[in-house]
Amino acid sequence: MTPRMGKGVFVAENAVLVGDVTLGDDCSIWYGAVLRGDVGSIVLGDRVNVQECAVMHATPDVSTVKIGNDVTVGHNAIVHGAVIGDDVLIGMGAIVMDNAVVPSGTVIAAGAVVLANSVLEPGIYAGIPAKKVKDGSEAILKMIRHNAADYVECKEFY
């Protein structure tokens, strides 16, 4: 299989997309990112930005990666076989493991680790393992959406 891309997608020259990878409209895949859909599918919604050196992969016959709309995956983050809702921010260096479910309107703080099979409720999560530290809010949701929109605009420069 070869990657499929929506309209208005930016993929940096040294990003790697392999296998069963689908990108929605206006996604941006930044420098050094790896989306390795060789053993499980990776499906991104619209306006998803995958920042520098982030990695997405799955476990054969165990998991796939599904990401909603308006999601930011921060620098050096790892999403391994997880389901991510809409309007989510995954912070720099965070790790989200197999079959974890991160619902819409959630923030995973920089460096947090969401363990395999975790099913979170909306809010802000931090630590190892990730624990809910705060409820979500309209201000947080606005920040998440603003960040995703900034990356849609930023990709246009490239």
Side-chain angles (χ1 to χ4, degrees), residues 61-125:
D61 302 319
V62 172
S63 63
T64 60
V65 175
K66 296 177 186 165
I67 296 184
N69 300 318
D70 301 299
V71 171
T72 294
V73 178
H75 314 287
N76 287 311
I78 299 171
V79 177
H80 201 280
V83 176
I84 311 296
D86 298 333
D87 303 310
V88 170
L89 188 148
I90 299 172
M92 295 180 280
I95 301 171
V96 184
M97 294 301 298
D98 285 313
N99 297 312
V101 177
V102 177
S104 297
T106 297
V107 174
I108 306 299
V113 177
V114 178
L115 300 177
N117 303 309
S118 298
V119 178
L120 307 183
E121 59 183 50
I124 300 171
Y125 290 78

Side-chain angles (χ1 to χ4, degrees), residues 20 29 54 67 81 93 95 126 131 149 154:
D20 190 3
I29 312 301
I67 296 184
I95 301 171
K131 302 277 188 213
C154 184

Side-chain angles (χ1 to χ4, degrees), residues 11-85:
V11 178
E13 299 85 21
N14 67 343
V16 178
L17 282 69
V18 175
D20 190 3
V21 175
T22 303
L23 306 181
D25 295 342
D26 287 317
C27 289
S28 56
I29 312 301
W30 294 89
Y31 299 93
V34 176
L35 281 67
R36 207 177 116 204
D38 55 347
V39 297
S41 66
I42 298 172
V43 178
L44 277 58
D46 297 334
R47 299 170 303 281
V48 175
N49 66 88
V50 180
Q51 297 175 4
E52 289 80 5
C53 300
V55 175
M56 293 185 185
H57 193 239
T59 299
D61 302 319
V62 172
S63 63
T64 60
V65 175
K66 296 177 186 165
I67 296 184
N69 300 318
D70 301 299
V71 171
T72 294
V73 178
H75 314 287
N76 287 311
I78 299 171
V79 177
H80 201 280
V83 176
I84 311 296

